[in-house]
Amino acid sequence: MSERRNIIEENESCVRSYCRKYPVVFETAKGSYIYDENGNEYLDFLAGCGALNYGHNNGVIKGELIDYLLKDNITHAMDMYTKAKAEFIETFENRILAPKGLEYKLMFCGPTGTNANEAALKLARKNKKRMNVVAFMGGFHGMTLGSLALTTDETSRNGAGVPLNNVTFIPYESGTDIRFDSMDYFEAILADDHSGIEKPAAVFVETVQAEGGINVASIEWLQRLDRICKENDILLVVDDVQVGCSRTGTFFSFERAGIKPDMITLSKSIGGYGFPMSLLLIREDLDIWKPAEHNGTFRGNQLAFVAAKAAIDFNIDNRVDAGVVKKGTIVETYVKEHILPLDERISLRGIGLIWGIDFSKIGDAELSHRIADKCFEKKLIIERAGRGDSVLKILPPLTITDEELIKGLDIITEAIKEELK
Ligand SMILES: Cc1ncc(COP(=O)(O)O)c(C=O)c1O
């Protein structure tokens, strides 16, 4: 075994996870590829779980970062005023929010996605003076206790060690075999003085449940949810941590439904270069925080601001959204032509450049695991999601070329053929 792998395995906590699935030592990366210490090349269909939408070591963003570092610009400043922060805000306002007719206050949170959700939870409860919130079965919102209370998968919840309270779960539009109109149900419990469920301060929703198995909510369902929230004085919080930043073909994933959430959480690819950054967008009148009421040492990583600004410029200048829509069609067409015919029990779901190939109906609990392992053997990094981890999750960098996309899809096809019994 590699000496480096050895030292990590001997010393790092048992909590480590991705390294168990891809047990080599990675060293360099460029674009859609990662290279291990022996120079082997791996095509990346995981993209930092959505943190690398612009590819590894994106040259345009890297140039800005190197320039920033060479000039001894400030790298850590808590939430003090800095040039890097001002330039990010200006770019985000002028190139993302204003053209979409969106107006939000920006809150920079501790550096990971879960922290933006924690902040949104606190702020929703503070505004509405209600404790309960609604979240959806299959949802994933992070690992700190507030966000974990909104998250449904058993393994994650089992780590909490304390009760995870004050959340009412209702079924998502899809993702289970339950044939049930959860919006009818939501309306009914809100109207019923015998529902036994406290009116929530907010609803937390992913427009595409990513970790939950690539369940894509329909436009009608999202619009109805938005309407119910408005009619009942409940805040709508869209968790765009994984599927924001153009993953679905528009910068924000909810744009296709024409809704304006009360709060939006962003992280992962907002940091542009794989840098930690997390952002809560707040409808202006809801911004009732007192100074330092949700604080943190690493709010506003200056290098992340530089990368985030450069990433937005890169995104708009290169029409990334249009590319995602086009490449999404390539994935959909390919899977329908080459993979679905392999077994009628395989299904496909997705939008933009997030797709799930679902093997759950085959009744072989280990199949998706074997396929993902086989892909790795064939030098493709790909992850699984959903109930029983039965969904193969296609999540490449948005900058991937058509050829790279087909190459990865060919590997998946070969792996499925070899593992389907
Ligand atoms: C939708 C969603 N929300 C929140 C999170 C948590 O983000 P982080 O791992 O950066 O805390 C994730 C992580 O995968 C996510 O997919």
Side-chain angles (χ1 to χ4, degrees):
M1 195 196 292
S2 142
E3 247 176 67
R4 292 169 179 147
R5 179 174 161 190
N6 222 4
I7 196 168
I8 295 170
E9 290 192 351
E10 275 178 14
N11 293 283
E12 192 183 354
S13 156
C14 302
V15 79
R16 63 190 190 278
S17 72
Y18 289 102
C19 55
R20 298 177 193 272
K21 300 170 190 172
Y22 320 111
V24 296
V25 177
F26 294 109
E27 198 168 333
T28 59
K30 187 71 189 166
S32 307
Y33 289 100
I34 312 186
Y35 301 86
D36 71 16
E37 60 183 351
N38 300 315
N40 293 308
E41 179 180 84
Y42 299 82
L43 185 55
D44 186 4
F45 267 27
L46 174 57
C49 203
L52 291 161
N53 283 6
Y54 306 104
H56 293 270
N57 287 303
N58 179 299
V60 174
I61 306 174
K62 183 165 71 177
E64 298 292 330
L65 286 166
I66 290 173
D67 186 52
Y68 189 84
L69 285 169
L70 284 176
K71 290 179 179 150
D72 276 342
N73 282 300
I74 190 161
T75 56
H76 185 271
M78 275 95 66
D79 69 353
M80 292 188 269
Y81 301 139
T82 65
K83 176 169 171 271
K85 183 195 279 190
E87 289 181 357
F88 165 74
I89 293 176
E90 190 180 25
T91 304
F92 191 68
E93 287 287 342
N94 293 341
R95 303 204 79 181
I96 300 292
L97 294 183
K100 299 179 191 301
L102 296 173
E103 282 179 24
Y104 291 102
K105 294 284 283 293
L106 274 55
M107 174 176 176
F108 300 105
C109 307
T112 63
T114 194
N115 203 276
N117 285 327
E118 293 288 345
L121 264 175
K122 282 190 193 173
L123 193 57
R125 288 175 170 143
K126 187 175 165 70
N127 267 280
K128 295 299 169 194
K129 299 186 174 47
R130 295 175 218 138
M131 266 197 282
N132 193 27
V133 296
V134 158
F136 292 96
M137 289 161 61
F140 185 91
H141 299 282
M143 289 287 188
T144 49
L145 290 178
S147 309
L148 190 53
L150 301 168
T151 293
T152 52
D153 85 271
E154 240 176 35
T155 313
S156 304
R157 292 180 73 88
N158 283 345
V162 292
L164 297 169
N165 288 335
N166 304 311
V167 180
T168 300
F169 289 106
I170 59 181
Y172 198 63
E173 186 185 22
S174 57
T176 64
D177 291 333
I178 308 172
R179 289 289 146 253
F180 180 82
D181 189 326
S182 52
M183 288 303 106
D184 272 357
Y185 175 67
F186 190 28
E187 278 193 314
I189 58 177
L190 290 169
D192 184 357
D193 62 352
H194 281 54
S195 70
I197 295 170
E198 187 208 352
K199 179 166 156 170
V203 173
F204 278 70
V205 68
E206 295 163 271
T207 70
V208 180
Q209 288 188 330
E211 299 307 304
I214 326 301
N215 306 312
V216 184
S218 70
I219 287 175
E220 298 70 35
W221 190 86
L222 289 169
Q223 288 175 342
R224 194 165 165 213
L225 176 62
D226 179 54
R227 202 164 50 243
I228 295 172
C229 286
K230 284 198 169 64
E231 286 169 2
N232 291 278
D233 183 35
I234 296 165
L235 299 174
L236 181 63
V237 183
V238 169
D239 179 342
D240 242 358
V241 166
Q242 186 157 166
V243 297
C245 301
S246 296
R247 176 59 60 184
T248 62
T250 49
F251 189 84
F252 296 108
S253 72
F254 54 80
E255 288 178 56
R256 67 191 162 96
I259 58 174
K260 291 186 179 174
D262 300 297
M263 291 190 245
I264 303 155
T265 58
L266 285 173
S267 187
K268 296 199 189 259
S269 278
I270 191 68
Y273 203 72
F275 285 165
M277 177 165 167
S278 137
L279 184 55
L280 173 62
L281 305 184
I282 307 168
R283 206 183 74 201
E284 202 146 338
D285 58 297
L286 299 173
D287 184 24
I288 57 168
W289 289 116
K290 294 200 167 48
E293 210 174 3
H294 187 83
N295 223 333
T297 309
F298 290 104
R299 286 171 310 127
N301 177 304
Q302 304 301 310
L303 279 182
F305 283 143
V306 174
K309 180 206 180 297
I312 288 168
D313 286 334
F314 176 89
N315 184 323
I316 307 292
D317 295 346
N318 292 282
R319 304 187 67 240
V320 166
D321 286 352
V324 169
V325 173
K326 180 178 145 266
K327 285 175 245 188
T329 310
I330 294 177
V331 177
E332 185 174 13
T333 308
Y334 181 103
V335 176
K336 285 183 173 164
E337 280 178 9
H338 300 279
I339 295 182
L340 298 190
L342 297 176
D343 190 304
E344 62 186 18
R345 294 167 297 178
I346 302 175
S347 59
L348 174 71
R349 299 186 290 274
I351 182 170
L353 271 179
I354 178 162
W355 290 87
I357 305 176
D358 186 342
F359 298 94
S360 60
K361 294 287 177 276
I362 294 189
D364 173 350
E366 286 304 308
L367 178 61
S368 62
H369 192 168
R370 294 199 307 273
I371 292 169
D373 283 354
K374 185 61 75 177
C375 287
F376 186 65
E377 249 176 70
K378 294 175 185 294
K379 308 279 186 291
L380 175 73
I381 295 174
I382 191 160
E383 167 67 317
R384 297 173 299 137
R387 276 125 177 133
D389 273 342
S390 58
V391 179
L392 206 61
K393 183 180 173 199
I394 299 173
L395 196 82
L398 307 183
T399 49
I400 193 167
T401 65
D402 295 359
E403 295 69 33
E404 290 164 346
L405 205 47
I406 298 291
K407 179 177 166 186
L409 292 165
D410 281 345
I411 294 177
I412 295 173
T413 310
E414 284 167 34
I416 296 174
K417 281 184 183 162
E418 287 172 34
E419 292 302 328
L420 258 182
K421 300 260 157 58

